[in-house]
Amino acid sequence: MEIVIVSQEEVHRLLPMARCIDVMETALRTLARGDAVQPLRSAMWLPDDSGLLGLMPAYLGGDVAAMGVKAISVMMADHGDGDSHQGTVTLFDREDGRPLAIVDARAITAIRTAATSAVATRLLAREEANDLAILGSGVQARSHLEAMLAVRLLGRIRVWSRTPAHAQAYGEWAAAEHGVTVEVTPSAEDAVTGASIICTVTAAPKPILKGAWLSPGAHINAVGSSVRFTRELDTGAVAGSRLFVDRRESTLNEAGDFLFPQEEGVIDENHIQAEIGDVLLGHTPGRETDEEITLFKSLGLGVEDVAAAHFVYRQAIRQGLGATVEL
Ligand code: NDP
């Protein structure tokens, strides 16, 4: 039995951001139509809580017809020189169950997460939103800059990061990679004041974004916290926003950004306006006024990984890339 192995470098080559945004839109529509299987992910924590191994299986029907599972390690403090998220997406034939491919998950995770935020931003941010703030300067901060550049004409970009040298390096990378000027700010508040699009992409366990700092009409992509015991947004930021999510069930089980304000009794489940897929299908309106603040809470879904990996696999076959090995 033959299987194709696709490397990190090949994923970057085969999955340009603009294509991945379309792939994520299709995946989220497929999920919202009920033509996908998306269980909650399972996480096996190490005994000392220093990291976890996550398993994210998913199936997509429709034109995609893909089945697979992402197995991903997330080490909290020390991930050496590697990305914070490392692993593989294994794809299977949905008819006969054969394993088809093993695709590097670092690049898939970096690109698909930002592409999903781009889908949400395209739907929910004001058309003229052009003032971007990024909180964080790691892998997701980089892919999110590319994703935001793909969906809005940005006139101003600010970044804040806990370690000032990392924010500085980020600014230099952005100039070299994308030819844009990024202002490095001394505080998160300085980065977000007046911003119309905000991406929170940190591993912070406690809020780094406060509702009091937000301007009317802003759109937020809250990406960094994907477990129930951490959050990046304070209660005011969540309560003061119209909340859209990637998946309702995941939000109620995994999103500290939602669960902390809920436990405080400030919001309840009705605060979730809709899943992004429902907005894509036109079942629920997205932004309704120029003044409201919209919030997309991203947790990351197996359908996103499987759809992205399946696209990469088909491109690899078409272009003769990837290493074919006998199992
Ligand atoms: P990186 O390790 O590349 O970057 C981590 C970033 O978080 C750095 O900018 C770091 O700042 C910042 N940070 C870490 N601890 C703190 C803290 N206590 N306070 C403030 N900032 C902090 O990680 P990634 O970019 O790969 O991932 C970022 C976050 O996004 C993670 O929490 C990850 O779990 C999450 N994630 C979410 C996904 C989703 O689908 N929603 C998918 C993938 C990741 P500095 O370096 O300046 O100290």
Side-chain angles (χ1 to χ4, degrees):
M1 184 188 298
E2 285 187 341
I3 189 166
V4 178
I5 298 182
V6 188
S7 71
Q8 179 183 33
E9 190 270 324
E10 287 170 323
V11 174
H12 279 292
R13 219 171 341 145
L14 296 170
L15 190 64
M17 183 58 72
R19 295 299 296 276
C20 191
I21 293 171
D22 293 340
V23 172
M24 290 306 101
E25 190 169 316
T26 303
L28 294 169
R29 281 175 188 272
T30 307
L31 180 64
R33 275 201 313 271
D35 199 5
V37 183
Q38 175 57 79
L40 285 174
R41 63 185 140 213
S42 84
M44 183 198 77
W45 284 90
L46 291 171
D48 60 0
D49 286 344
S50 62
L52 64 84
L53 190 61
L55 284 181
M56 301 169 70
Y59 162 78
L60 288 119
D63 295 338
V64 188
M67 173 168 84
V69 58
K70 180 163 86 169
I72 193 101
S73 69
V74 185
M75 306 311 284
M76 296 303 136
D78 182 12
H79 33 84
D81 293 335
D83 291 5
S84 64
H85 290 55
Q86 303 181 66
T88 55
V89 183
T90 305
L91 295 173
F92 297 83
D93 188 288
R94 61 94 61 234
E95 299 297 336
D96 63 17
R98 263 177 315 126
L100 298 172
I102 295 175
V103 182
D104 177 80
R106 290 168 296 181
I108 293 283
T109 305
I111 301 166
R112 68 74 156 147
T113 307
T116 303
S117 294
V119 171
T121 304
R122 199 155 61 182
L123 276 181
L124 299 174
R126 282 177 290 126
E127 204 58 53
E128 66 277 17
N130 67 354
D131 187 338
L132 171 68
I134 294 194
L135 304 185
S137 59
V139 170
Q140 289 295 335
R142 288 174 192 229
S143 57
H144 271 74
L145 177 59
E146 185 180 3
M148 295 304 110
L149 285 167
V151 293
R152 284 294 182 273
L153 268 177
L154 301 177
R156 187 182 191 195
I157 305 166
R158 284 171 282 178
V159 68
W160 167 82
S161 201
R162 177 184 61 171
T163 309
H166 293 175
Q168 206 61 48
Y170 181 88
E172 287 159 19
W173 163 84
E177 187 73 19
H178 296 292
V180 295
T181 301
V182 172
E183 299 168 40
V184 175
T185 66
S187 72
E189 182 176 1
D190 288 326
V192 304
T193 300
S196 46
I197 304 173
I198 300 165
C199 300
T200 64
V201 277
T202 74
K206 294 199 176 121
I208 42 110
L209 179 64
K210 295 191 175 169
W213 304 338
L214 300 171
S215 299
H219 170 71
I220 307 159
N221 297 308
V223 176
S225 163
S226 35
V227 288
R228 58 183 306 137
F229 53 84
T230 68
R231 60 168 165 172
E232 294 185 291
L233 275 54
D234 77 353
T235 295
V238 179
S241 303
R242 290 187 68 226
L243 173 62
F244 297 82
V245 299
D246 48 13
R247 185 119 168 103
R248 191 178 285 268
E249 185 189 16
S250 305
T251 306
L252 298 177
N253 283 280
E254 298 169 354
D257 284 314
F258 172 81
L259 293 167
F260 280 102
Q262 186 192 37
E263 276 156 25
E264 291 165 13
V266 178
I267 59 171
D268 61 22
E269 290 183 23
N270 294 323
H271 193 61
I272 301 175
Q273 307 290 313
E275 295 181 358
I276 283 295
D278 287 323
V279 183
L280 284 168
L281 292 181
H283 293 165
T284 312
R287 169 177 290 277
E288 291 183 311
T289 70
D290 278 352
E291 286 71 41
E292 70 194 28
I293 297 169
T294 51
L295 165 60
F296 170 55
K297 177 58 213 156
S298 159
L299 284 162
L301 301 174
V303 289
E304 298 165 6
D305 296 305
V306 170
H310 194 254
F311 176 84
V312 165
Y313 166 64
R314 279 182 304 161
Q315 294 296 319
I317 298 290
R318 196 168 297 162
Q319 298 183 30
L321 292 172
T324 302
V325 297
E326 187 70 26
L327 272 190

